[in-house]
Amino acid sequence: MAVTVRAYHAGLEEQVDQISHKAWVLFKYNKDYDYPMMSCVFNEQDELIALGYIRKGYDDDHDVMEVVMDVNERGAERISEVRIALYPALIEISQAIRNPNKRTKLVAWNDFHGCGEFRYDEEFAPFQTYYYAKLSLEKGYPEIQMPSGIEVRHHPMETIEERMKYTEVENHYLKGVVYRSVNMLEWMMAGPELHTIAAFDGDELVGSVMCWQTGAVDRFFVHPRWRNTGLGEYLLTKGFEYHLQKGRTEVDTLVHAKDEPTMRLLESMGYSFPVKLELYAMNMK
């Protein structure tokens, strides 16, 4: 007998949570995710052993559909079967939710759980490279003065107008695949810990960095007009200070390999880049 694939529904929430709490939270509380965007894999005993879903984002002039797959121990033992059964369902989901008038790429971070042969058969190719950057705050970091003419403060974004404006500005400057929407931002804000530090030139948002409970100092951007002024370095140090106040001494971020200004800035602040991550992609027909 073979594994079977079925659509996700409310009755499967508890089982999905046992395989991937992140997936459960996304589909439970984030308005960007709806049940039809996930498929579930069952074994012959009708036990849920794997799930897959699509994260919809964009990059430059095209949309992106990211394939995400999670398995439990029973699913890992049958990963080839799971992969072969689940992949067509995810393609079908992607076709259903894509914009037919825009170029669309199907992308995957984890190389389908290490199966290079499957990736090549499905015509995936290297697309983008990212680095996982880390810094130990125990070693100290440069002391940076805030540039004159700027205000840097906690930005709680209490109104929908503030959240919409923040999302618009952030997405304009972030490099690589972007998944951010107002729904995603509001979902993150409803989580256990999100602290946004923003820079303003008068009423204009010109830079920001986000911190959350994992030790991340992430989603970093600075308006071109304020680059090379020390504002980027200052925003990072405010993120460091926040985590130190929370008792954390390790911080990290994800940076696009082609974002050379940010790579140089992070290196100047003492970051190392121990992990290289490859995003694979194929053009959807």
Side-chain angles (χ1 to χ4, degrees):
M1 295 180 66
V3 298
T4 57
V5 179
R6 301 179 213 153
Y8 183 39
H9 57 79
L12 295 173
E13 286 188 4
E14 184 175 343
Q15 296 178 65
V16 165
D17 189 22
Q18 292 175 357
I19 291 181
S20 171
H21 183 68
K22 178 180 179 180
W24 176 80
V25 169
L26 280 174
F27 280 77
K28 183 73 172 179
Y29 298 110
N30 190 321
K31 296 176 184 178
D32 286 340
Y33 292 81
D34 197 8
Y35 289 139
M37 295 171 69
M38 182 190 294
S39 290
C40 300
V41 181
F42 296 83
N43 63 12
E44 294 79 358
Q45 289 73 44
D46 205 33
E47 299 169 325
L48 182 65
I49 62 172
L51 59 89
Y53 59 94
I54 296 297
R55 295 183 68 197
K56 186 177 180 180
Y58 63 90
D59 178 34
D60 295 332
D61 62 343
H62 57 269
D63 287 342
V64 171
M65 303 289 177
E66 181 190 344
V67 175
V68 182
M69 299 171 58
D70 291 301
V71 299
N72 59 18
E73 291 184 5
R74 291 185 297 277
E77 293 170 356
R78 306 175 64 173
I79 186 61
S80 294
E81 290 179 77
V82 166
R83 194 184 294 114
I84 291 170
L86 192 54
Y87 182 69
L90 297 178
I91 290 290
E92 185 176 340
I93 293 170
S94 300
Q95 294 288 9
I97 65 176
R98 68 176 293 194
N99 181 345
N101 299 317
K102 291 192 68 174
R103 189 161 61 96
T104 304
K105 287 184 179 292
L106 194 70
V107 303
W109 277 105
N110 58 2
D111 196 12
F112 296 100
H113 292 272
C115 184
E117 182 179 347
F118 182 86
R119 184 187 79 232
Y120 292 128
D121 288 345
E122 299 299 336
E123 300 180 349
F124 279 78
F127 174 47
Q128 292 180 348
T129 301
Y130 293 77
Y131 287 96
Y132 181 62
K134 298 186 68 174
L135 174 67
S136 172
L137 300 179
E138 293 180 331
K139 300 177 181 179
Y141 52 88
E143 183 176 342
I144 307 295
Q145 297 297 317
M146 182 173 67
S148 60
I150 207 81
E151 179 190 7
V152 174
R153 56 178 168 83
H154 174 224
H155 188 29
M157 292 177 277
E158 295 174 344
T159 69
I160 183 62
E161 290 78 14
E162 288 177 317
R163 296 191 290 274
M164 291 175 65
K165 185 60 179 179
Y166 186 93
T167 301
E168 177 188 354
V169 173
E170 181 192 48
N171 287 346
H172 183 71
Y173 294 116
L174 291 180
K175 291 185 177 295
V177 176
V178 176
Y179 299 102
R180 181 57 57 82
S181 65
V182 175
N183 286 337
M184 177 66 81
L185 176 58
E186 291 177 342
W187 172 74
M188 292 172 60
M189 292 173 66
E193 183 182 333
L194 176 68
H195 185 79
T196 303
I197 302 165
F200 292 88
D201 181 357
D203 293 330
E204 182 186 6
L205 175 66
V206 295
S208 181
V209 68
M210 287 184 167
C211 307
W212 50 89
Q213 71 276 6
T214 60
V217 179
D218 210 353
R219 308 296 294 199
F220 167 73
F221 69 89
V222 174
H223 189 289
R225 187 174 73 250
W226 281 93
R227 293 172 188 172
N228 301 312
T229 66
L231 177 58
E233 292 88 339
Y234 186 76
L235 283 169
L236 289 176
T237 62
K238 300 306 288 184
F240 301 161
E241 290 175 9
Y242 172 80
H243 283 302
L244 285 171
Q245 291 170 2
K246 295 288 184 178
R248 304 177 189 122
T249 58
E250 301 285 335
V251 296
D252 57 67
T253 190
L254 191 67
V255 58
H256 193 294
K258 289 187 177 181
D259 188 356
E260 295 180 358
T262 299
M263 293 278 289
R264 289 195 297 269
L265 186 151
L266 293 175
E267 188 173 17
S268 73
M269 299 295 286
Y271 278 84
S272 62
F273 307 89
V275 180
K276 181 179 180 180
L277 301 171
E278 295 287 350
L279 188 64
Y280 297 88
M282 62 169 285
N283 292 318
M284 292 189 65
K285 299 178 177 64

